[in-house]
Structures are given as C-alpha cells and as structure tokens.
C-alpha cells in the first residue's frame, strides 16, 4: 500500500516537473491541428508520444540520482561551507587547494603558520617554500601523498613537517580535485633532540676532563716520577680529587634521571621541612667553619609539614647551602629563614629562603642558573668541586613536589634562593603570610 502511494507520488512529481514541456508540446500539436497542418489523430498521437518519452526520461533520472552526482564531481569552491567546517574541526594547521593549486580554504591554525596565504590566490604566492611547492606538484602529478620537512629561521627557529594529500574523486585519480596540506609543528621535538644531544656532549666533556687528568698522572707516576716518593705524595691527593669529581658527576647524573623518571609522581608522605632544613644546616657546620662562615636558621621550630620525599628535600637544601658556602663565603654569613606565605594559586606554601651576603649574581645569569651545566664562572665552579648540575637537580626535585625555586640577587648584594613548597590540603591564606603552620 505504502509502496503504491510512493509510486503514485513519484509519477505526480514527474508530471509536475515536466509540466512546462507537456504544456508546450500540447500547444504545438493543437496549433498544428488548428492551422490544418495535421489531422486531429496524428496530432494527438504525436503529443502522447512526446509526453511518454519525456516521462520515461524523467523516470530514468530518478533511478540513480546519487550515481549521476558522483559521475560529475563538483569543483571545490572558495567559501564552501563544508570544506571550511571540516578544516576548522581539524587539530592541525590545514590548507585545502583546488586542482590548479589555488587556496580554497585554510583553518585559523594554518593562518598562524602561513599568514600570507589567502583563499582564491595561488598557494605559491603566500607560501614561498620551494620544498613544499615541489611536493604539491608531485602529489598532484602522481595522486600519491607526499611528506616534506622545512624550517624557518625568522622570526624564531621553527621546524615543520607537511603532509600533502591529494584527494581525488573516483575515476579521476590522475587529476585530484582537492589537495590538502597538513602542517605538523616539529619544533618541540627538535628542541628536545637538541637538548639531549647537548646534554650527552656536556656530560661526556665533564667526565673527560678529570679522566684525562687521572691518566696523565698515572703516566707520570709510571714514567718520570716512578722513583719519586715526594711527587707521588703530591699527585695522589689530586688524583683522589679528580676521581671524587667523576663520582659526584655520575651521582648527580643518576639522581637527575631518577627524578625525571618519577617527575609525574607527587610525593605522598608528610615530612617536616623545618626539621630537614635544621638537619642540613647542622651537617654542614664543619664545612661552614672551614670557610669561616656562620650558618643560622631563623623562624619557629614548630613542625612545618609538606608532602615530600625526605632524601630529595635534603638534597635540595644541601645544594643551596653548599652553594652559599662555596660561592659566597666572603659574605661570612648564611641565613636560612622559614616562613609560610601565599602561593600564586592563593594557597598556603612553606618558604625556605637561603640568603648569603656574597658577591651576588648578575641579572643576565639568573634565568639560566637552573639549566644543566650552566655556571657563571666555570673555572671557579670546578675549583669548588661543582658539577654544574646542583641547581638543575633542585629545580627538578621541586617540580616533582609541585613547588618552585625563586632567585633574587644583584652584584655585590648577595643572593637569596627561596624554595616554595605547597602545604598539604592548604586552604587560601586570607592574607596572613608570615606565620608558621602548626600540624
Ligand atoms: P655547581 O655545581 O657549579 O655549583 P649549580 O647548579 O649548583 O652548579 O650552580 C650553578 C652556578 O650558579 C654556579 O656555578 C655558580 O656560578 C652560581 N651560583 C650558585 N649559587 C650561588 C651563590 N650563592 N652565589 C653566587 N653564585 C652562585
């Protein structure tokens, strides 16, 4: 029943579609009959014949409208809402070109990468990268996707990978209707690769120096100083110091990689950071006396509880206080002040400020101090037994604790390294910033 009504409906629709042709045919045959050019019967037969032919042709058109549409691919147009919507939904910068290589559409991310590209203009006008233009040519000629990399130097070093994908309609593969350019930003990946390469180069260099010194002394002791006990007594402590330096370096490198491995795991134990600081200060008293420096811990001795890893936090404060003793002994005094303040998120945080009165650090060095192997004065750091990894370790440990390090210094005015550690479950401070928390 439904089937029949659908069929009737289709025929009615066909009549409606053909009505202009049918009326014109009826007028033509009626005219011929009226002016005596033909008899009534042939005129009627002619009208019926044309009507039937027109309806049959129209019925064929109904059978496979989709097939017809597919046989005639529509050329992509600038402003096509479907293409624009698809590009806008893609996470990467993407540009769509037509078969001539003119830009059909580009998403906002692509505009940021290639701001000179304009819809309706040839891609070569706005993207002057020969490798990419050549890849587009190859993709259009072969119908096969192409991949190229290119880099920009200005305004900043950036690296991109471009995937050029020809999108062809069935049966017209040799002449793709649309070509898509998808850009992937490789810059972060390249930076990490460069950092790794730099790190390996730096680490090898740091190890090679004491190693070369050691083998030099071994050669001397075997050769010219073979029978010279005085030389042996002089060389052995130096050799010991070089071996210690290598051991420290390896120790720091291993600690760094272990902390990096656990970077995503926040410590869940509660530790009293005040007690840790006092323990570190006590353990460094001998070194402080050797350097003729007074180390003082200021602030309440009430427990200051933070979620933390005890050994890692000991490492943090050892590094900071040792640095103060190594590089700022001339200031004669190091203060370690404990307090509670308000963090950037408005929550309470423990603050431990290690302040020296040494030569201070010029402002241009401050942002780089926590980089691996960065030193203000390489020879002084080596002379003090430094590895250049101390502050990098501090930064990584604090990151894992959800904390941070701030450095204030000016030449001639000493330096203050402040550790900020979130207090577990801390509520906003309400402006009370200098009280110690009681657990
Ligand atoms: P190092 O093993 O060389 O001590 P760090 O990462 O601990 O490595 O420190 C990096 C550099 O920061 C040091 O080489 C030194 O130049 C500088 N520095 C660190 N602490 C101080 C300080 N308290 N006063 C002056 N300079 C400092």
């Amino acid at each position: 029943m439904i089937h029949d009504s659908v069929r009737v409906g289709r025929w009615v629709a066909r009549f409606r579609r053909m009505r202009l042709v049918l009326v014109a045919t009826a007028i033509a045959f009626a005219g011929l009959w009226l002016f005596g050019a033909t008899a009534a019967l042939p005129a009627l037969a002619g009208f019926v014949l044309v009507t039937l032919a027109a309806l049959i042709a129209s019925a064929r058109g109904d059978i496979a409208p989709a097939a017809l549409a597919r046989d005639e691919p529509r050329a992509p147009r600038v402003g096509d809402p479907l293409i624009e919507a698809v590009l806008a939904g893609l996470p990467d910068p993407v540009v769509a070109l037509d078969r001539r290589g003119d830009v059909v559409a580009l998403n906002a991310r692509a505009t940021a990468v290639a701001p000179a590209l304009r819809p309706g203009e040839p891609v070569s006008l706005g993207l002057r990268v020969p490798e990419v233009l050549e890849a587009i040519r190859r993709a259009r000629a072969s119908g096969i996707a192409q991949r190229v990399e290119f880099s920009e130097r200005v305004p900043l070093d950036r690296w991109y990978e471009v995937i050029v994908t020809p999108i062809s309609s069935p049966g017209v593969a040799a002449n793709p209707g649309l070509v898509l350019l998808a850009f992937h930003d490789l810059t972060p990946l390249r930076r990490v690769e460069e950092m790794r390469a730099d790190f390996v180069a730096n680490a090898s260099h740091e190890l090679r120096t004491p190693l070369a010194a050691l083998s030099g002394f071994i050669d001397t002791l075997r050769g010219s100083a073979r029978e010279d006990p005085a030389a042996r007594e002089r060389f052995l402590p130096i050799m010991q110091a070089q071996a210690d330096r290598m051991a420290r370096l390896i120790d720091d490198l291993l600690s760094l990689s272990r902390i990096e491995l656990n970077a995503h795991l926040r410590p869940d134990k509660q530790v009293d950071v005040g007690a840790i600081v006092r323990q570190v200060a006590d353990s460094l008293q001998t070194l402080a006396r050797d350097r003729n420096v007074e180390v003082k811990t200021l602030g309440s001795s009430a427990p200051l509880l933070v979620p933390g890893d005890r050994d890692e936090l000991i490492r943090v404060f050892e590094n900071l206080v040792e640095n103060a003793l190594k590089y700022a002994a001339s200031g004669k005094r190091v203060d370690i002040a404990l307090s509670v303040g308000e963090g950037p998120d408005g929550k309470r945080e423990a603050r431990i400020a290690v302040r020296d009165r040494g030569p201070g650090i010029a402002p241009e060095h401050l942002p780089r101090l926590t980089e691996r192997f960065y030193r203000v004065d390489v020879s002084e750091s080596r002379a003090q037994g430094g590895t250049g990894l101390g502050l990098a370790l501090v930064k990584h440990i604090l990151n894992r604790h959800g904390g941070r390090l701030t450095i204030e210094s000016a030449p001639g005015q000493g330096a203050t390294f402040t550790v900020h550690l979130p207090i577990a479950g801390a509520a906003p401070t309400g402006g009370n910033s200098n009280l110690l928390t009681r657990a």
Side-chain angles (χ1 to χ4, degrees), residues 201-220:
N202 279 327
S204 326
H205 177 73
E206 292 293 329
L207 280 169
R208 201 178 297 131
T209 318
L211 202 62
L214 268 181
S215 43
F217 284 122
I218 292 170
D219 283 348
T220 317

Side-chain angles (χ1 to χ4, degrees), residues 323-324 326-327 356 361 369 374-377 381 386-391 417:
N323 276 353
K326 282 188 321 198
Y327 303 111
D356 66 59
I361 305 160
L369 284 186
Y374 188 85
R375 287 117 151 178
V376 175
D377 181 336
S381 158
T387 59
L389 292 173
L391 292 178
F417 290 75

Side-chain angles (χ1 to χ4, degrees), residues 248 252 319-329 354-362 365 368-378 380-382 384-394 407 409 414-417:
R248 260 198 315 277
D252 281 358
N319 267 312
L320 295 180
V321 180
E322 268 178 18
N323 276 353
L325 295 175
K326 282 188 321 198
Y327 303 111
V354 179
R355 177 172 176 220
D356 66 59
R357 290 167 173 79
I361 305 160
H365 297 295
R368 301 199 58 191
L369 284 186
T370 55
E371 282 177 24
R372 291 158 193 207
F373 300 113
Y374 188 85
R375 287 117 151 178
V376 175
D377 181 336
V378 177
E380 195 200 351
S381 158
R382 293 223 173 109
Q384 300 283 359
T387 59
L389 292 173
L391 292 178
L393 261 169
V394 167
I407 310 171
S409 183
T416 305
F417 290 75

